[in-house]
Amino acid sequence: MGRFQGLLLLALVLNLVFVCNGGTTSIFVRKDEKSVDMPLDSDVFHLPSGYNAPQQVHITQGDLVGRAVIVSWVTEDESGSNAVRYWSENSKHKKLAKGKTVTYRYFNYTSGFIHHTTIKNLKYNTKYYYEVGLEHTTRQFWFTTPPEIGPDVPYTFGVMGDLGQTFDSNRTLSHYHLNSTHGQTMLFVGDLSYADDYPDHDNVRWDTWGRFAERSAAYQPWIWTVGNHELDFAPEIGENKPFKPFSHRYRTPYKASQSTSPFWYSIKRASAHIIVLASYSAYGKYTPQYQWLEEELPKVNRTETPWLIVLMHSPWYNSNSYHYMEGETMRVMFESWFVKYKVDVVFAGHVHAYERSVSANILYLVNYTEPQPNYSAFREASFGHAIFDIKNRTHAYYSWHRNQDGDAVKSDSLWFFNRVWKPVDDST
Ligand SMILES: *[C@@H]1O[C@H](CO)[C@@H](O)[C@H](O)[C@H]1NC(C)=O
Ligand SMILES: *[C@@H]1O[C@H](CO)[C@@H](O)[C@H](O)[C@H]1NC(C)=O
Ligand SMILES: *[C@@H]1O[C@H](CO)[C@@H](O)[C@H](O)[C@H]1NC(C)=O
Ligand SMILES: *[C@@H]1O[C@H](CO)[C@@H](O)[C@H](O)[C@H]1NC(C)=O
Ligand SMILES: *[C@@H]1O[C@H](CO)[C@@H](O)[C@H](O)[C@H]1NC(C)=O
Ligand SMILES: *[C@@H]1O[C@H](CO)[C@@H](O)[C@H](O)[C@H]1NC(C)=O
Ligand SMILES: *[C@H]1O[C@H](CO)[C@@H](O)[C@H](O)[C@H]1NC(C)=O
Ligand SMILES: [Fe+2]
């Protein structure tokens, strides 16, 4: 019987107890200090100098197959140019791509000029330099396109979620970013800035988060999933449209996978087919997301992309009392499909602690968090990031790097065997 593994990652609170029947509960418990937001004058939030200097630069995949990149950035003084100049490492020939500029208001906040420009027809496996802010202060960055899609193409993904902008967030991002063998693309499983924790959802905290994440997100694509902190639904201050700040600031290539919404879509990258789902958009029968997923799953070609990865925010398997069973309704809708289509791995966030579960089709009992349930294979009250390192069509190496006393420590790791190319009987 096919099964898939689910992983929940991430960042705050909670006290897991150590009794275990199912898998392992790590004895590590992070210091029970409340995570404190970095103050506005922190080094990681510094504005780049120069008139109308581009800030909050970030990139994401811009098409279905990895030959396009969406570059986004913000200018504050005036709109300025929305063009991106780019050239490949081995070429002196510079090209120009033009985009769109948007602004939005949220309660009494007015955004800067938010630019989104898609660069297309890139060569695979090539380093590109790019520049933004072409009329005034110009800043230069670079990225590397993925190799051409193929079944045995090795590729390394980083996985992170619930990042926020606390001192812990800085440790998590630094451990990922400063490790010389970090991932080539970030799978971000939702909850970006937590601006909604501030009075009136102070959107200035969306700007600071953009500047904080830039040191990674400007150089490798971050694949966006929406979480509950992207909702920014606040009718009490007249903000009735969910996802307003996120939608203006972050783009996804959803049309390329025939999706009708930026919150659910798919991409192919190297040897992986990645499906992004929206925990906070309707997914019941007959809804657009349900219909899209029903049509999407049979399209996945495991000969071309052996690895089928799903991202979502709210986990289906969570033995932590925090957010317990919030993912249950979506599990009921889609779990059997995931089994049928042999999803290899699901990455989710939301819980602010780490848990790796074993499989699908579990008996998920209400209130059953102790003893550790059988579906829970490893859990630990830690912040950190994960790496999913695809070696070929059969093998991927997964590791969890927790933050501890300022260092990154690898506390959970295992080989993943592809569900189609190397099925293993894990029914026991
Ligand atoms: C964030 O981390 C970076 C890299 O470790 C460090 O240089 C910087 O000072 C940190 N900033 C804060 C506010 O913790
Ligand atoms: C928005 O309103 C809050 C109080 O309701 C105030 O503290 C803040 O300064 C205002 N911001 C702007 C940009 O007017
Ligand atoms: C799946 O991908 C392989 C390799 O690219 C291709 O030969 C095959 O035709 C594809 N199958 C379908 C049904 O598209
Ligand atoms: C967990 O597994 C053990 C040993 O296989 C079994 O005795 C127990 O009934 C299982 N518990 C649940 C809730 O499935
Ligand atoms: C796939 O990768 C694994 C792990 O690196 C390796 O042991 C195995 O031999 C590889 N398979 C092939 C066909 O190269
Ligand atoms: C850096 O990444 C590599 C590969 O994922 C890992 O083996 C190593 O433990 C990481 N180093 C730290 C300090 O996390
Ligand atoms: C869940 O367990 C708690 C105690 O841990 C108990 O008070 C509650 O009644 C249980 N609920 C259900 C539905 O079993
Ligand atoms: Fe969340």
Side-chain angles (χ1 to χ4, degrees), residues 198-404:
Y198 283 82
D200 306 324
H201 297 224
D202 187 357
N203 275 224
V204 165
R205 282 289 175 170
W206 273 106
D207 290 313
T208 53
W209 195 84
R211 297 200 288 273
F212 164 56
E214 182 188 275
R215 71 185 130 136
S216 172
Y219 297 93
Q220 61 171 252
W222 283 38
I223 306 305
W224 301 111
T225 312
V226 285
N228 50 306
H229 287 278
E230 277 66 71
L231 279 161
D232 283 308
F233 175 67
E236 68 280 10
I237 51 171
E239 293 298 343
N240 301 327
K241 197 171 182 313
F243 305 113
K244 192 203 243 181
F246 175 85
S247 302
H248 283 85
R249 292 166 181 274
Y250 295 89
R251 286 284 189 265
T252 65
Y254 66 98
K255 287 180 187 160
S257 55
Q258 282 77 53
S259 169
T260 50
S261 160
F263 311 132
W264 60 85
Y265 61 97
S266 72
I267 57 165
K268 303 183 204 181
R269 203 165 176 89
S271 43
H273 187 117
I274 298 163
I275 293 179
V276 179
L277 293 181
S279 298
Y280 305 97
S281 301
Y283 44 74
K285 200 163 180 180
Y286 315 118
T287 61
Q289 183 169 203
Y290 179 101
Q291 274 186 33
W292 177 81
L293 186 60
E294 190 176 33
E295 284 165 27
E296 171 71 10
L297 285 167
K299 284 187 205 162
V300 180
N301 182 341
R302 304 296 278 270
T303 305
E304 188 189 32
T305 50
W307 293 93
L308 177 51
I309 299 173
V310 179
L311 311 182
M312 62 180 67
H313 185 64
S314 187
W316 293 355
Y317 311 116
N318 166 28
S319 67
N320 197 311
S321 55
Y322 190 57
H323 295 311
Y324 188 58
M325 288 187 86
E326 287 180 16
E328 191 62 4
T329 45
M330 193 193 248
R331 181 183 77 81
V332 168
M333 294 311 297
F334 297 144
E335 185 183 68
S336 60
W337 293 359
F338 280 30
V339 173
K340 178 175 173 198
Y341 290 100
K342 300 187 185 344
V343 169
D344 287 300
V345 59
V346 177
F347 294 111
H350 199 42
V351 180
H352 298 196
Y354 172 71
E355 184 165 20
R356 172 165 56 79
S357 69
V358 285
S359 63
N361 275 1
I362 46 153
L363 185 61
Y364 203 63
L365 300 173
V366 175
N367 245 0
Y368 193 33
T369 54
E370 291 304 336
Q372 185 167 5
N374 288 1
Y375 61 79
S376 174
F378 185 94
R379 52 189 191 174
E380 176 177 276
S382 60
F383 293 144
H385 71 272
I387 297 287
F388 194 72
D389 187 7
I390 297 174
K391 305 290 189 191
N392 53 36
R393 76 182 68 189
T394 54
H395 287 67
Y397 190 69
Y398 167 80
S399 53
W400 168 250
H401 303 249
R402 80 166 174 238
N403 297 347
Q404 184 181 30

Side-chain angles (χ1 to χ4, degrees), residues 48-59 69-75 78-87 94-101 113-119 128-143 214 217-219:
S49 55
Y51 177 75
N52 213 32
Q55 51 164 294
Q56 306 176 47
V57 180
H58 53 90
I59 61 174
V69 166
I70 306 171
V71 181
S72 304
W73 72 98
V74 176
T75 52
E78 60 175 275
S79 179
S81 171
N82 61 28
V84 177
R85 182 158 49 221
Y86 64 101
W87 62 97
K94 298 188 175 177
K95 293 184 181 170
L96 212 58
K98 293 213 167 134
K100 285 209 169 74
T101 302
F113 301 91
I114 306 168
H115 310 280
H116 301 287
T117 300
T118 305
I119 313 177
Y128 284 89
Y129 292 92
Y130 70 98
E131 289 176 346
V132 290
L134 301 185
E135 277 172 359
H136 302 103
T137 305
T138 301
R139 295 179 66 206
Q140 191 185 103
F141 304 87
W142 52 263
F143 60 79
E214 182 188 275
Y219 297 93

Side-chain angles (χ1 to χ4, degrees), residues 38-39 42-44 166-167 170-171 174-175 178 212 215:
M38 294 182 281
S42 297
D43 49 5
V44 294
T166 69
F167 289 96
N170 194 37
R171 277 177 211 114
S174 300
H175 290 161
L178 299 176
F212 164 56
R215 71 185 130 136

